[in-house]
């Protein structure tokens, strides 16, 4: 399995055609597609924050980086290594604002710097990063903010490679989560919908807030009243797990008429054993994993151990929520682009909901996204703990353990779509990929939510 995780599906790159325009044909197609999408009026048209301009509604942050990648591929296909690529203007589309044009140039500088680094042209890469620093900003457009943090990470990567300084070590795993529009609590309301004794096992529980909605729904389930609800929470911090247990127990006492039990299991995932769980043959077991399995991709042997452990629990259903992206590539430019597209979408999402000088936004970007970006770009081997693979990779992996995806209920999908329509200016969309639900921001996949079952012989 190690090879299947390390060597994820390599994507082919389309050959760029020659063009007399300053934008290659691939970039023009991206631009045209976005402009067509932006001209379609709909019910989601609404007042946006002043920092969220109509231009960025037409052209997302990810689209700008896609155009920069296409421009770079067009340039390198002609075997030109001259960093002057960054000075080529994007002047064939006069309808674009100066801000978008400047963002494109900045994204292209970052792409070119990463390309120079991948070719071990460290001096050229550093020169391009210096140019990036002239326009990158912690408080600017999403592109300027993405470039700021990636430039910082690339410079650190270059320093590591040239051994001029000792690289910063990542000492802790940030509690990093992207909530998929609240859809995680919807599956369990319908999957074991008629069971009377329910045992929920939550891998890596955090605040536990996602369970309160489910608990309320179970309390109001008139047709099949619940006789017992147990939640076993797994974590590495006893204090965090205990505090979560107190909050959920208090909520249950106020809102639920049936017995509620909470059990804390403080353990590393790889060290879990069945005797840590108070399992009862009369209970239906549900396993819930939110951004936990993906965090084990750096240790594939440990991941195998955890999957075998889950099988021994004999769960009715396994709910898996993971980031839908590819940041597990062995080739640097594939890794770089996979991460840029993911985090560009997240920065774009923050732009839609918060002003650029919002302190909570800036703290989240500085304390969370910065650390993730640095870890992905600068660390290797087991030190790179933030890894993501696409849904199809999870499918292939789960199939080896006899785990098959199962359908989500129609009611949960209806509720998820309703929440997406209400919460994200129409920019958040939900698509089905097989039986799994993929959450996208302006067309870029961010998260998938899914339900799985073991296929017994």
């Amino acid at each position: 399995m190690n090879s299947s995780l390390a060597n994820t599906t390599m994507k082919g790159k389309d050959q760029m055609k020659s063009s007399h325009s300053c934008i290659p044909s691939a970039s023009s197609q991206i631009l045209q597609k976005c402009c067509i999408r932006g001209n379609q009026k709909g019910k989601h048209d609404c007042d946006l924050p002043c920092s969220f301009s109509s231009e960025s509604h037409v052209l997302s942050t990810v689209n700008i980086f896609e155009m920069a990648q296409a421009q770079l591929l067009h340039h390198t296909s002609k075997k030109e290594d001259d960093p002057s690529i960054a000075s080529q203007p994007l002047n064939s589309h006069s309808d674009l604002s100066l801000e978008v044009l400047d963002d494109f140039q900045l994204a292209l500088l970052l792409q070119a710097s990463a390309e120079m680094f991948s070719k071990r042209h460290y001096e050229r890469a550093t020169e391009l990063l210096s140019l990036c620093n002239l326009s990158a900003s912690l408080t600017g457009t999403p592109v300027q903010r993405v470039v700021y943090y990636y430039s910082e990470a690339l410079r650190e990567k270059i320093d590591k490679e040239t051994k001029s300084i000792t690289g910063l070590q990542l000492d802790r795993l940030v509690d990093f989560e992207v909530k998929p529009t609240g859809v995680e609590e919807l599956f369990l309301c319908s999957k074991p919908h008629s069971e009377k004794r329910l045992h929920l096992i939550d891998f890596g529980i955090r605040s536990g807030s996602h369970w309160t909605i489910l608990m309320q729904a179970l309390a109001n389930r008139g047709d099949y009243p619940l006789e017992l609800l147990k939640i076993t929470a797994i974590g590495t911090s006893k204090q965090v797990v205990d505090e979560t247990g107190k909050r959920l127990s208090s909520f249950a006492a106020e809102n639920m008429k049936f017995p509620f039990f909470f059990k804390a299991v403080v353990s590393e995932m790889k060290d879990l054993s069945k005797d840590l769980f108070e399992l009862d043959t009369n209970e239906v077991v549900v396993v819930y994993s939110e951004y936990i399995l993906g965090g084990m991709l750096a240790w594939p042997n440990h991941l195998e151990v955890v999957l075998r452990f889950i099988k021994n629990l004999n769960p009715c259903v396994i709910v898996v929520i993971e980031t839908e992206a590819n940041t597990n590539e062995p080739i640097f430019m594939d890794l770089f682009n996979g991460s840029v597209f993911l985090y560009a979408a997240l920065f774009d999402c923050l732009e839609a909901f918060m002003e650029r000088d919002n302190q909570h936004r800036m703290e989240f970007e500085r304390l969370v996204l910065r650390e993730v970006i640095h870890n992905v770009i600068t660390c290797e081997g087991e030190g790179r703990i933030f890894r993501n693979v696409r849904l199809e990779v999870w499918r292939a992996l789960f199939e080896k353990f006899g785990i098959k995806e199962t359908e989500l209920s129609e009611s949960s999908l209806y509720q998820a779509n309703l929440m997406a329509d209400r919460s994200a200016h129409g920019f958040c969309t939900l698509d089905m990929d097989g039986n799994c639900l993929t959450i996208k921001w302006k067309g870029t996949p961010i998260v998938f939510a899914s339900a799985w079952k073991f296929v017994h012989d």
Side-chain angles (χ1 to χ4, degrees), residues 203-214:
F203 287 0
I205 197 169
R206 296 178 176 89
S207 68
S209 59
H210 53 284
W211 291 124
T212 58
I213 298 177
L214 172 64

Side-chain angles (χ1 to χ4, degrees), residues 171-394:
D171 295 322
R172 60 187 175 85
L173 176 64
V174 177
D175 184 14
F176 174 60
E177 53 182 325
V178 181
K179 286 294 182 185
T181 68
V183 75
E184 66 273 30
E185 62 265 22
L186 299 174
F187 299 101
L188 303 181
C189 296
S190 54
K191 279 298 167 186
H193 67 280
S194 62
E195 305 299 341
K196 293 187 176 183
R197 300 175 67 87
L198 202 55
H199 188 171
L200 310 177
I201 298 177
D202 190 338
F203 287 0
I205 197 169
R206 296 178 176 89
S207 68
S209 59
H210 53 284
W211 291 124
T212 58
I213 298 177
L214 172 64
M215 292 165 71
Q216 187 69 59
L218 292 172
N220 297 328
R221 196 176 71 178
D223 294 340
Y224 302 94
L226 206 64
E227 295 179 357
L228 172 70
L229 176 64
K230 290 169 61 175
I231 294 180
T232 298
I234 303 168
T236 55
S237 168
K238 187 177 188 302
Q239 179 181 354
V240 171
V241 179
D242 286 344
E243 288 177 356
T244 298
K246 290 178 182 178
R247 284 194 298 270
L248 293 179
S249 296
S250 176
F251 181 87
E254 295 176 3
N255 297 277
M256 298 165 57
K257 297 180 181 179
F258 48 82
F260 172 76
F261 295 97
F262 182 91
K263 179 177 175 59
V265 173
V266 180
S267 172
E268 297 288 346
M269 292 295 295
K270 64 181 179 62
D271 298 326
L272 292 175
S273 61
K274 198 171 179 178
D275 58 2
L276 294 173
F277 299 80
E278 297 176 5
L279 300 175
D280 191 315
T281 56
N282 295 321
E283 300 169 350
V284 170
V285 174
V286 173
V287 171
Y288 180 83
S289 173
E290 182 182 347
Y291 308 116
I292 296 299
L293 298 181
M296 304 187 70
L297 290 170
W299 305 278
N301 292 331
H302 295 173
L303 182 55
E304 286 187 1
V305 169
V306 170
L307 291 177
R308 291 193 183 98
F309 168 75
I310 294 175
K311 187 173 184 178
N312 288 334
L313 294 175
N314 193 28
C316 167
V317 65
I318 309 163
V319 176
V320 176
I321 296 172
E322 287 291 343
T323 303
E324 171 64 346
N326 192 0
T327 63
N328 196 40
E329 290 283 3
I331 298 176
F332 178 78
M333 283 307 295
D334 293 336
L335 167 68
F336 177 84
N337 285 317
S339 66
V340 163
F341 294 154
L342 170 63
Y343 297 114
L346 296 183
F347 276 90
D348 200 315
C349 182
L350 292 171
E351 177 84 348
F353 295 99
M354 299 183 186
E355 299 292 339
R356 290 179 179 173
D357 60 353
N358 182 285
Q359 291 301 311
H360 294 293
R361 173 184 177 180
M362 294 177 66
E363 285 185 12
F364 178 77
E365 291 173 348
R366 180 175 61 85
L367 297 176
V368 179
L369 295 182
R370 175 186 180 272
E371 189 162 3
V372 176
I373 290 169
H374 273 246
N375 181 250
V376 171
I377 296 301
T378 67
C379 297
E380 301 290 343
E382 293 186 357
R384 179 147 52 89
I385 55 179
F386 291 104
R387 296 170 182 257
N388 311 111
V389 293
R390 295 286 186 189
L391 175 56
E392 61 264 22
V393 178
W394 286 113

Side-chain angles (χ1 to χ4, degrees), residues 26-49:
S27 297
S28 299
Q29 291 169 5
I30 293 170
L31 185 61
Q32 183 181 20
K33 178 181 66 174
C34 297
C35 290
I36 291 174
R37 183 190 309 159
N39 289 333
Q40 295 175 342
K41 301 290 184 181
K43 64 178 179 180
H44 300 298
D45 291 343
C46 57
D47 294 331
L48 301 177

Side-chain angles (χ1 to χ4, degrees), residues 153-170:
L154 274 173
R155 191 177 295 277
E156 182 180 323
K157 182 74 168 176
I158 292 170
D159 289 339
K160 281 187 174 183
E161 292 294 324
T162 57
K163 302 185 185 305
S164 59
I165 64 171
T166 301
L168 177 68
Q169 295 297 317
L170 189 67

Side-chain angles (χ1 to χ4, degrees), residues 3-34:
S3 60
S4 65
L5 291 174
N7 301 308
T8 53
T9 305
M10 303 291 289
K11 298 180 179 178
K13 297 181 175 64
D14 295 332
Q15 186 70 25
M16 294 292 142
K17 296 182 180 179
S18 298
S19 172
H20 295 293
S21 167
C22 292
I23 308 179
S25 58
S27 297
S28 299
Q29 291 169 5
I30 293 170
L31 185 61
Q32 183 181 20
K33 178 181 66 174
C34 297

Side-chain angles (χ1 to χ4, degrees), residues 37 52-53 55-63 345 348-349 351-352 426-429 440-446:
R37 183 190 309 159
F52 198 75
S53 66
E55 293 288 356
S56 57
H57 172 71
V58 174
L59 205 59
S60 74
T61 303
V62 174
N63 294 145
D348 200 315
C349 182
E351 177 84 348
F427 298 132
C428 179
T429 56
K440 298 180 179 180
W441 180 259
K442 292 187 179 180
T444 298
I446 297 180

